[in-house]
Amino acid sequence: MKILDIPQSGKRGLTVSQSTPFGQMSRTLAIPANPRTKSQVTIRDILARVAARWRALAETQRVAWMEAATEAKSNPRLGQSGSLSGFQLFTKINCTLTRLGQDQVDLPPERPQFPDLAPQGLVITNTAGAVALKLTCLGDPGENTIIRAGKAVSQGRENCTDFRIIGTCPAAVAGSADITALYTARFGPPTAAKKVYVQASQVMDGWESRPITFWAIVPAGA
């Protein structure tokens, strides 16, 4: 329920507090279901292997990660953020590399300078019930542009907070990258009048750029 209180975020006993666009909220702790989906099991396996690799590093290598982590900040929460630990940065970089099918690293890579993001918008068409989702692109997205998306929602929704990786951005053809197959493989075809949210970001050497969000509403069939 909505409450009047100082900004809070996190769990205290059996109560969970969080800030929402509508104010401070407090609710009873609920233990989430554990369906052990293929995606969940894959991520947990990656985390276990990365943690084992950290324990096997030489101490000089761990120190290098700790020093590099002082320049890496956590995502802001209630307007606050702090430096990551060496293990957190190691896990962040190597889990990202593994998810993309690349080799893990034992030393922290230099933070790259990201080029301009190729995707610039989302366009959805509906031709006789065949829905297509395409990203307008200024140039070639390359092999390092990651696409996330959320399940289609009511067009009255103003944001999406549950994005999942659906794959790397396909090559652009005539200024558009077709992500229909990537989206439908994860969420199924979106229906008319629903809103679809998509995020694009770039990953280089395990570092990820700040994602950019696009959205579009599925039109009625033409």
Side-chain angles (χ1 to χ4, degrees):
M1 64 179 179
K2 186 176 178 181
I3 60 173
L4 294 176
D5 206 336
I6 61 173
Q8 302 175 49
S9 179
K11 178 171 72 75
R12 180 190 296 172
L14 297 178
T15 301
V16 176
S17 299
Q18 66 184 98
S19 294
T20 74
F22 309 102
Q24 186 71 35
M25 186 196 76
S26 180
R27 62 177 174 82
T28 301
L29 173 67
I31 305 300
N34 183 19
R36 293 181 59 80
T37 64
K38 181 179 178 181
S39 178
Q40 285 179 324
V41 172
T42 297
I43 293 299
R44 290 167 183 170
D45 177 66
I46 291 173
L47 286 169
R49 288 188 283 121
V50 169
R53 190 183 185 100
W54 171 261
R55 293 192 294 271
L57 292 180
E59 185 59 23
T60 54
Q61 293 172 322
R62 280 190 287 267
V63 169
W65 284 98
M66 295 173 196
E67 293 176 348
T70 61
E71 302 298 324
K73 300 296 183 181
S74 62
N75 292 329
R77 191 174 186 181
L78 294 181
Q80 300 179 356
S81 65
S83 299
L84 300 181
S85 68
F87 174 66
Q88 287 171 332
L89 180 60
F90 178 86
T91 302
K92 174 183 174 68
I93 295 293
N94 281 304
C95 282
T96 299
L97 290 171
T98 304
R99 285 278 287 168
L100 297 179
Q102 300 176 22
D103 293 335
Q104 295 184 28
V105 294
D106 291 334
L107 289 172
E110 293 290 331
R111 188 187 292 268
Q113 292 292 324
F114 292 100
D116 292 337
L117 189 68
Q120 296 293 306
L122 174 65
V123 176
I124 303 179
T125 58
N126 186 350
T127 306
V131 176
L133 296 85
K134 296 183 179 181
L135 293 171
T136 55
C137 291
L138 297 178
D140 182 8
E143 299 179 353
N144 299 314
T145 301
I146 305 302
I147 305 301
R148 291 179 172 85
K151 187 176 180 180
V153 296
S154 164
Q155 61 179 281
R157 288 278 295 274
E158 297 181 4
N159 55 55
C160 175
T161 58
D162 188 15
F163 286 98
R164 306 300 172 93
I165 293 177
I166 60 174
T168 56
C169 187
V173 177
S176 294
D178 193 333
I179 62 169
T180 307
L182 293 176
Y183 186 88
T184 56
R186 184 62 186 265
F187 300 108
T191 56
K194 290 289 188 179
K195 182 183 285 187
V196 175
Y197 283 91
V198 171
Q199 279 188 342
S201 62
Q202 296 178 84
V203 173
M204 297 177 65
D205 298 330
W207 294 96
E208 184 172 0
S209 66
R210 186 178 298 276
I212 304 298
T213 303
F214 312 110
W215 62 265
I217 296 172
V218 182

